[in-house]
Amino acid sequence: MTAPDRPRISLLGTSALLFEAPGAFDLPHQRRIWSLAATASKWPGIREAIPGITNLMLTFATPPRELDALIAALNDGWDAAEGLTISGREIRLPVTYGGEIGSSLQSVADHCGLSVDDVVSIHAAPLYTVFALGSHPGYCYLGGMDRRITMPRRQTPLQRSAGGSVSIGGSQTGVSASPGPSGWHAIGHTSWTFFDPSWPTPAALAPGDTIRFEIERVIR
C-alpha cells in the first residue's frame, strides 16, 4: 500500500502509466512535476511525458518489460526533483464578465458573500500560471486564484458550456477552449482562440505561460 506522503503509481492499460504526486496544489509543487516530466521524457521507451495537475502521465513506445525498475526511477526522480522554472509568455485576455455566457457571476458573489464588482476585481487581479493542459484540446489549468472566490463545482454538470467561458471550479479557474460539458461556474467569456488544429502547434498556450485577465466590461 502506498503511504499517504508517497506518490501513487498506476497502470493505464498497457500503453501508459499515471504518477500521482502527494502535496499541495501550488506552483512550487507543480514545478517539480515539470522537472520530473523533463527527466522522464528522455528515458528509453517513453513516448511522451505529459504533466497534469500534481500528476504525470507517461505513454510507452512499447509496454515496459521492467515495470518495477520504471516505478523505482519515477520515485527516485520525484525525490530528486528540485523544481523547473519555465519562462513562458504572458498573455493578456480581455474578458467580459457576466452576461448570458457568464451567468454564474451573481451566484459566485452570493456564495462568497461578495459584490459582483468584488468578484470581478479579485478574479482579475492575479497573474495566473498555466500549470497543465488537459480536459479538452487547448484547455489550460491555471494556478493562482484567490481563495476568497472559491466556488464548489456543480453537482450536476452542464451539458454544454460555451467556448471561451471563463469559469471557476473549486479553488481553480480556467477558460474553455471549445464548447462542451462543464461542472464549473462561468463568470465571463473571452473571444481569444486557444486551439486551432491548422496551427504548427495547435494549442496556443503551454505549461509555464501566464495569463492576466483584463476587465473589458461587466454585464450585470
Side-chain angles (χ1 to χ4, degrees):
M1 181 178 294
T2 303
D5 61 344
R6 296 302 301 159
R8 294 174 57 88
I9 299 174
S10 54
L11 286 174
L12 303 175
T14 60
S15 61
L17 174 151
L18 183 65
F19 174 93
E20 299 175 88
F25 171 67
D26 58 25
L27 186 55
H29 190 247
Q30 192 65 20
R31 283 175 171 158
R32 291 183 68 192
I33 292 288
W34 296 344
S35 177
L36 182 59
T39 298
S41 67
K42 301 173 185 177
W43 293 344
I46 301 301
R47 176 176 291 160
E48 286 185 292
I50 306 167
I53 295 296
T54 67
N55 63 57
L56 174 66
M57 184 175 73
L58 301 183
T59 63
F60 310 133
T62 57
R65 295 183 178 180
E66 299 293 337
L67 185 59
D68 289 344
L70 177 59
I71 290 174
L74 280 168
N75 281 316
D76 290 346
W78 176 248
D79 290 339
E82 297 182 351
L84 175 65
T85 299
I86 301 175
S87 299
R89 300 168 300 150
E90 179 178 331
I91 304 299
R92 294 181 175 269
L93 293 183
V95 176
T96 295
Y97 286 90
E100 183 179 356
I101 296 178
S103 59
S104 292
L105 178 59
Q106 185 65 59
S107 298
V108 172
D110 292 343
H111 174 80
C112 298
L114 299 166
S115 69
V116 163
D117 287 339
D118 286 340
V119 172
V120 171
S121 62
I122 290 170
H123 183 265
L127 180 65
Y128 294 92
T129 299
V130 177
F131 276 24
L133 302 183
S135 176
H136 59 271
Y139 183 82
C140 302
Y141 288 102
L142 305 177
M145 192 183 80
D146 192 309
R147 290 189 174 274
R148 287 178 292 171
I149 53 174
T150 295
M151 179 76 168
R153 299 184 186 190
R154 296 177 181 273
Q155 292 186 347
T156 303
L158 297 174
Q159 292 188 2
R160 186 175 178 84
S161 181
S165 296
V166 178
S167 303
I168 291 174
S171 62
Q172 298 180 52
T173 189
V175 187
S176 298
S178 60
S182 176
W184 291 28
H185 305 270
I187 62 170
H189 74 278
T190 181
S191 59
W192 210 73
T193 301
F194 290 84
F195 183 85
D196 189 324
S198 69
W199 293 342
T201 302
L205 298 178
D209 288 339
T210 55
I211 288 178
R212 190 177 296 281
F213 294 115
E214 295 185 334
I215 305 169
E216 192 168 50
R217 61 174 176 152
V218 180
I219 303 175
R220 292 173 175 80

